[in-house]
Amino acid sequence: MPYLQLSDLKTHFPVKKGLLFKREVDTVRAVDGIDLEIEKGEILGLVGESGCGKSTLSRTVMQLVPATGGKVVLDGEDLSALSPDAVRARRLDFQMIFQDPYASLNPRMTVSSTLAEALRTRQPELKGDALAGAVAELMERVGLDRRFVRKYPHEFSGGQRQRIAIARALAPQPKLVLADEPVSALDVSIQSQILNLLKDLVRDLDLTMIFISHDLSVVHYIADRIAVMHFGKIVELGDAEEVMARPGHDYTKKLLASIPTIETHRR
Amino acid sequence: MSLLEVTDLKTYFHTRAGVVRAVDGVSFSLERGKTVGIVGESGSGKSVTCYSMLGLIPMPPGRIEGGAARFDGVDLLSCGERALREIRGKRIGMIFQDPMTSLNPYLRVSTQVAEPLRLHMGMDKRRAHAAAVEALREVGIPDPETRVDMYPHEFSGGMRQRVMIAMALITKPEILVADEPTTALDVTVQKQILDLIKARQRELGTAVIFITHDLAVISEVCDEVNVMYAGRVVERAAAAELFEDPRHAYTRSLLKSIPATHAKGEELYTIPGLPPDVSRPISGCAFAPRNQLGESGRCLTDSRPPLTEIAAGHWVQDCPGCLS
Ligand SMILES: Nc1ncnc2c1ncn2[C@@H]1O[C@H](COP(=O)(O)OP(=O)(O)OP(=O)(O)O)[C@@H](O)[C@H]1O
Ligand SMILES: Nc1ncnc2c1ncn2[C@@H]1O[C@H](COP(=O)(O)OP(=O)(O)OP(=O)(O)O)[C@@H](O)[C@H]1O
Ligand SMILES: [Mg+2]
Ligand SMILES: [Mg+2]
C-alpha cells in the first residue's frame, strides 16, 4: 500500500463579484481531480507553471484548506474523515515548508523560541541545556550560525529566514514533508547544502517528501519521480530521468526549453 | 555622468549583539538602459545595499555610516525623506524580495497596483483601474479583469510576485531595483518577465539593478555583475567576462556549486563553513577561512584587500590567496 494516496482530489475556490450582493461569477479549479500514489521514502518532485495549483495541492494534503472532493489517505488513514483535533494530533507527522517564509514565521519570537517550540511539540520533556543543544544542532544542520539564536525574523536576510522555516519544519521529526519552493530563495551554495541535507534526511529517517519547485534542474537532482501539473491536473508523471530525457507533455517540453543556462548566453 | 553613482556606501545595524556591518564600503555605477547585477551568498548585503539608497532601512537599529548615492544630481542618502518620496516608487521603482510582506493583505490588488498612479501622477480612479488591469495583463496574470479585484491571499505565490513587478513598472521608472524578482516563478513565466523588463529598457531606457542568486539569470540579463561577499564587492566585470574568466576564489566557488553542473545523485559542491560574522571587525581577507579553490594560506591577514582593476573593466579584490 502506498504511504500517501490521493484519489480524485479537488479544491475549488469560488470567485465572487460585487460589493453588497456578492454573486459567484466563476470557480477557480486550483486542484481538479488528482490521483497520486507515493511510496514511503520517496521524493516526488512537483513542477508546473505559476498558478497551476501546486501550493493549493500541498495545503489540501496538509488539511489546511478543505478539499471540495476526493480523499487524502496517509499511511492507511483517511485524513479528510478525521476531526480537526485528530488532524492536529497527526500533524506532527506531516510538516510543510511554506513558500513565503516571512509570512509563516512569528515576528515576535526569536529563532531559538521558534525552534524550541517546534522541538517540544514532539519531545515535550526537552528542557534547559538539552533543549538549547537541540536548537543549536538544528541550526547547524541548515547552515545557520549559532550566534543568530536570539534574533527576530525581521533581522534576517531572505535566505536566512528560509532556513529558519526549514529548520522549524524538520524539528518535530516529521514522516512526510511537503516542501513548497524550499530552496528558491537561496543562493547556490546554501541551496546545495539544503538539498544535500534533505537527501540525507530522506535516507536516514525514511522520510517521504513532496518537493515543489519551479526549477527543473533542482527537481531533477533531488527527485525520484517527477509529476508535472497543469491547470489543476497532473499531466505527466514518471521517473525523473525519463521525464527530463523524454518529456511527453507539451508544457514539460516548454519548461525544459526555457531553462536559462550560462553556456548558451556567452556572447 | 552615470545615471546612478554609489560610492563607498556603508550601512551598519546597531543591535544588542553588536554592530552588524551589513554593507561595508560598496561602490558601483549604473548607466541608462543598462543592467547591473548583484550576486552573492545569503546575508552578504545585497538587499541592504538597495534599501539604503531608497531610505528603507529601519533606523534605528540601522544607520548609514557613510558614502553617497548620486541620482540626477541628488544624493539619495542625504536628501531627506521628503525629496526621497518624490523619487521612490516613481522615478525609481522597487520589486521587493518578499511579496507578501510588501503587499497589504487587506486591500484589493487593484487598489495597490493603481496607487502609484493616483499618488504620483494624480490619475483619476477609473483610468488608474484600467491601467492596473493592463499592467497585470503584461505580467501574465490570467483573466486580469476579474483578478484585479481579488485580495493578495487569493493569488498564488508567483502571481503575487508578478503583482509586485506590475506595481514597480507602472510609473515607467528611470531605474528599476529588482530584488530576487523571479525566484518564485517557473522558467516560462520568468522568461516572460525578463522579456518585459528588457522591452522596457529598449523603449524607455530604464536602467536596472538586478539582485539574484540565480547565476544563469544573471548571465542572461546583466551587462555587468558585482559579486558581493560579507558586505563588500569582491569582483566586478562584464557578465560574459565574469563567467568565462572568474578570478576571485569566491566567484569560482559559486560557479562550481550550480546543481545543473552536477550529475544526478552526485554530492553537490558546497563552500565549506559559513560566511564570516560581520558583527566582529574583519582584519584580513574575509573569504580566507573558506577558500578551497585558491590558496587560503596566502590570503591577506592584516589588511582588507582593495578592489583593483586587473583588466579593462574587470575588478577584483587584490588578495594573493584568492587570486591563485
Ligand atoms: N484562497 C484562495 N481563494 C481564491 N483563489 C485561490 C486561493 N488560493 C489560491 N487560489 C487560486 O488557485 C490557483 C492555484 O494557486 P496555487 O497557489 O496553488 O498555485 P501554485 O501552483 O502554487 O503557483 P506558484 O508557482 O505561483 O506558487 C491560482 O489561480 C490562485 O489564484
Ligand atoms: N533590521 C536588521 N537588523 C539587524 N541585522 C540586519 C537587519 N537587516 C539585515 N540585517 C543583517 O544584514 C546582513 C545583510 O542582509 P541582506 O538582507 O542585505 O542580505 P542579502 O544579501 O540580501 O541576503 P539574501 O540573499 O538572503 O536575501 C545580514 O547578515 C542580516 O542578518
Ligand atoms: Mg505556490
Ligand atoms: Mg536579500
Side-chain angles (χ1 to χ4, degrees):
Chain A
M1 198 178 51
Y3 185 62
L4 177 69
Q5 184 169 26
L6 312 180
S7 23
D8 198 24
L9 196 62
K10 288 193 177 116
T11 312
H12 294 177
F13 297 106
V15 179
K16 298 200 176 93
K17 256 218 142 128
L19 283 175
L20 276 176
F21 304 99
K22 288 200 195 295
R23 9 173 217 118
E24 229 176 280
V25 292
D26 206 351
T27 315
V28 177
R29 300 170 195 279
V31 175
D32 200 22
I34 286 198
D35 294 297
L36 200 59
E37 297 186 345
I38 303 174
E39 297 300 329
K40 194 153 180 60
E42 184 184 8
I43 304 182
L44 179 86
L46 184 62
V47 298
E49 196 163 6
S50 171
C52 72
K54 305 179 296 293
S55 297
T56 306
L57 175 62
S58 44
R59 299 170 73 99
T60 309
V61 172
M62 287 290 294
Q63 306 294 310
L64 295 172
V65 184
T68 25
K71 267 204 292 196
V72 178
V73 178
L74 179 71
D75 208 3
E77 191 171 17
D78 182 357
L79 294 184
S80 17
L82 292 180
S83 71
D85 276 344
V87 169
R88 216 167 299 131
R90 279 305 303 267
R91 193 161 285 149
L92 288 182
D93 288 343
F94 48 101
Q95 289 286 319
M96 180 155 175
I97 302 171
F98 290 92
Q99 188 168 7
D100 199 331
Y102 198 58
S104 68
L105 291 171
N106 184 340
R108 292 186 207 295
M109 276 167 78
T110 61
V111 179
S112 75
S113 11
T114 297
L115 296 183
E117 187 186 76
L119 281 164
R120 292 187 56 177
T121 53
R122 173 74 73 181
Q123 300 157 278
E125 73 288 352
L126 267 186
K127 279 199 207 49
D129 284 350
L131 184 58
V135 167
E137 191 191 312
L138 202 53
M139 289 184 68
E140 193 174 323
R141 282 211 128 172
V142 296
L144 278 173
D145 203 310
R146 215 181 265 223
R147 65 178 185 258
F148 289 145
V149 285
R150 290 179 46 210
K151 283 195 168 195
Y152 292 88
H154 73 271
E155 297 179 286
F156 286 95
S157 75
Q160 290 163 342
R161 277 201 287 270
Q162 180 72 44
R163 282 174 277 164
I164 302 171
I166 294 174
R168 188 192 50 185
L170 298 177
Q173 299 164 4
K175 302 201 176 80
L176 172 72
V177 172
L178 291 135
D180 194 356
E181 304 275 5
V183 296
S184 45
L186 305 178
D187 58 274
V188 278
S189 170
I190 302 289
Q191 181 176 310
S192 333
Q193 200 175 320
I194 298 289
L195 292 177
N196 287 340
L197 166 72
L198 292 176
K199 262 192 121 104
D200 290 349
L201 287 172
V202 166
R203 196 189 50 221
D204 300 347
L205 309 175
D206 210 13
L207 215 65
T208 308
M209 186 155 68
I210 298 183
F211 187 99
I212 300 178
S213 175
H214 62 272
D215 187 337
L216 265 179
S217 63
V218 167
V219 171
H220 171 235
Y221 176 77
I222 196 163
D224 302 309
R225 283 191 304 159
I226 295 180
V228 182
M229 204 167 161
H230 198 53
F231 291 123
K233 296 188 159 68
I234 303 272
V235 294
E236 178 154 6
L237 175 67
D239 176 71
E241 292 294 341
E242 192 62 23
V243 171
M244 292 291 283
R246 275 172 292 280
H249 194 267
D250 278 351
Y251 176 69
T252 320
K253 288 181 189 155
K254 198 168 135 203
L255 264 185
L256 282 167
S258 16
I259 297 180
T261 57
I262 289 175
E263 284 73 25
T264 51
H265 296 287
R266 293 220 168 124
R267 276 157 280 198
Chain B
M1 218 184 64
S2 308
L3 181 61
L4 175 73
E5 184 112 29
V6 177
T7 33
D8 207 21
L9 172 67
K10 289 194 172 118
T11 307
Y12 295 176
F13 292 96
H14 299 262
T15 69
R16 304 175 301 287
V19 182
V20 178
R21 293 169 182 78
V23 175
D24 201 15
V26 163
S27 307
F28 65 91
S29 58
L30 181 63
E31 311 295 332
R32 238 180 88 80
K34 295 285 184 211
T35 303
V36 162
I38 306 182
V39 279
E41 224 160 343
S42 182
S44 58
K46 306 182 295 291
S47 299
V48 171
T49 298
C50 293
Y51 294 170
S52 304
M53 300 183 312
L54 295 171
L56 295 175
I57 296 291
M59 302 192 200
R63 216 171 100 188
I64 310 280
E65 308 282 335
R70 292 217 156 265
F71 167 65
D72 194 19
V74 183
D75 177 16
L76 300 174
L77 302 185
S78 63
C79 67
E81 179 59 25
R82 204 104 155 256
L84 260 185
R85 225 174 295 153
E86 287 298 303
I87 295 174
R88 187 176 55 213
K90 182 182 176 194
R91 300 182 62 195
I92 305 184
M94 170 97 203
I95 302 168
F96 294 94
Q97 190 169 4
D98 240 321
M100 223 23 200
T101 45
S102 28
L103 289 174
N104 184 333
Y106 303 108
L107 290 180
R108 288 175 198 280
V109 167
S110 51
T111 316
Q112 303 189 56
V113 176
E115 188 186 62
L117 291 177
R118 312 224 332 125
L119 201 70
H120 294 296
M121 308 193 159
M123 203 181 264
D124 68 56
K125 209 168 173 170
R126 261 198 39 227
R127 281 184 54 218
H129 189 272
V133 171
E134 265 333 288
L136 292 187
R137 192 190 315 280
E138 275 190 328
V139 294
I141 302 281
D143 196 11
E145 293 86 356
T146 318
R147 289 280 181 172
V148 76
D149 291 318
M150 292 167 91
Y151 290 91
H153 76 266
E154 297 176 304
F155 277 54
S156 80
M159 288 173 176
R160 284 193 285 248
Q161 200 165 30
R162 284 180 275 164
V163 170
M164 293 284 313
I165 296 169
M167 256 164 90
L169 288 173
I170 204 162
T171 58
K172 306 196 165 34
E174 290 151 71
I175 298 181
L176 175 68
V177 179
D179 192 355
E180 306 274 9
T182 58
T183 39
L185 303 177
D186 63 284
V187 280
T188 58
V189 178
Q190 169 169 295
K191 188 160 182 311
Q192 183 181 358
I193 298 293
L194 298 181
D195 289 346
L196 174 66
I197 294 176
K198 280 186 208 156
R200 288 297 178 88
Q201 292 189 284
R202 268 195 314 273
E203 291 157 24
L204 309 169
T206 314
V208 179
I209 301 179
F210 205 103
I211 303 181
T212 175
H213 61 270
D214 190 331
L215 295 163
V217 169
I218 281 274
S219 82
E220 177 156 324
V221 300
C222 294
D223 298 296
E224 190 181 60
V225 186
N226 292 282
V227 182
M228 276 187 80
Y229 190 75
R232 295 196 177 186
V233 173
V234 296
E235 185 159 4
R236 160 164 58 239
E241 162 104 2
L242 189 87
F243 289 105
E244 245 151 62
D245 188 19
R247 299 291 185 91
H248 198 278
Y250 177 60
T251 315
R252 287 184 273 147
S253 313
L254 274 184
L255 289 171
K256 202 175 163 177
S257 331
I258 302 173
T261 62
H262 292 71
K264 191 177 166 62
E266 180 191 356
E267 187 89 342
L268 295 175
Y269 179 76
T270 59
I271 306 175
L274 292 173
D277 182 355
V278 289
S279 64
R280 300 220 177 96
I282 297 167
S283 52
C285 167
F287 191 60
R290 308 175 69 195
N291 181 358
Q292 243 181 4
L293 302 184
E295 285 176 56
S296 62
R298 293 178 58 209
C299 280
L300 295 190
T301 52
D302 49 353
S303 64
R304 294 200 64 177
L307 198 62
T308 323
E309 193 166 15
I310 47 156
H314 194 155
W315 297 70
V316 65
Q317 275 192 351
D318 190 11
C319 168
C322 289
L323 289 178
S324 65

